[in-house]
Amino acid sequence: GAVVSQHPSRVICKSGTSVKIECRSLDFQATTMFWYRQFPKKSLMLMATSNEGSKATYEQGVEKDKFLINHASLTLSTLTVTSAHPEDSSFYICSANPPGTHEQYFGPGTRLTVT
Amino acid sequence: QQQVKQSPQSLIVQKGGISIINCAYENTAFDYFPWYQQFPGKGPALLIAIRPDVSEKKEGRFTISFNKSAKQFSLHIMDSQPGDSATYFCAATVNQGGKLIFGQGTELSVKP
């Protein structure tokens, strides 16, 4: 299957700081990428759809000023958690579809801990 | 109407047994139904998927059964192994490249 990578795999930051998570499609171009958040033993919650060259589409209840998404190229989307607080601690996962397919592939996830 | 309901929440199966996880949906516009396997601390991995024009799809020990009229689909894991112990998610989507609607997840434990 197609490969999606994320960096970093784990990050610890202090409350009030910002942290950036990268999502890359390694062997295909993706005009759309998705960002999810997952709490322990819970399902994936879609946060936003990242669109290359245009603004991201956020799901209801997700603060767009807090979770900044940039999709600057066809292989890279970034999620920046601004002014992080302990409640932002979570597992963040991105995904993407190879062009013209239904199959959606996920990155390995990023564990964010805010102290 | 956008929900996908998954059951059971957790499942314990003996090695060699059959694991069965069920999902139900309401939106008849869904046209692609994947199953994902997720190990702790990892991203979900695409396991197997089906389109509504097919009633069954088999890949190795994994089979999806699809009942369009009942709006239900299920994952069967034959000859379950301890290495299959993971959380399984069903999902559905409407368009190519569109967002997935996930079920609640099933935590499978296969006992040796």
Side-chain angles (χ1 to χ4, degrees), chain A residues 36-115:
Chain A
Y36 293 84
R37 183 174 181 176
Q38 187 177 35
F39 291 103
K41 296 190 179 296
K42 296 294 184 183
S43 190
L44 289 86
M45 182 189 81
L46 179 65
M47 299 174 65
T49 302
S50 172
N51 304 299
E52 189 269 334
S54 65
K55 290 182 179 180
T57 305
Y58 290 82
E59 295 299 303
Q60 192 172 8
V62 177
E63 298 177 62
K64 58 183 68 176
D65 293 332
K66 180 165 189 62
F67 298 101
L68 300 179
I69 290 172
N70 185 272
H71 194 149
S73 78
L74 287 170
T75 59
L76 173 64
S77 174
T78 60
L79 169 68
T80 301
V81 183
T82 63
S83 186
H85 290 285
E87 55 265 32
D88 299 325
S89 298
S90 194
F91 193 52
Y92 292 88
I93 317 172
C94 68
S95 68
N97 297 61
T101 72
H102 278 83
E103 288 79 12
Q104 192 167 126
Y105 295 93
F106 285 79
T110 297
R111 172 73 58 194
L112 170 63
T113 303
V114 184
T115 61

Side-chain angles (χ1 to χ4, degrees), chain A residues 5-26:
Chain A
S5 71
Q6 277 183 248
H7 178 81
S9 58
R10 289 177 175 272
V11 58
I12 300 173
C13 70
K14 292 188 184 296
S15 188
T17 62
S18 296
V19 60
K20 181 185 286 187
I21 303 169
E22 292 185 348
C23 177
R24 293 181 186 273
S25 54
L26 297 187

Side-chain angles (χ1 to χ4, degrees), chain B residues 67-90:
Chain B
N67 186 328
K68 189 174 181 178
S69 61
K71 291 185 283 187
Q72 296 176 346
F73 59 109
S74 60
L75 176 69
H76 296 234
I77 306 175
M78 313 300 286
D79 187 26
S80 299
Q81 299 296 313
D84 297 329
S85 297
T87 300
Y88 292 81
F89 294 96
C90 63

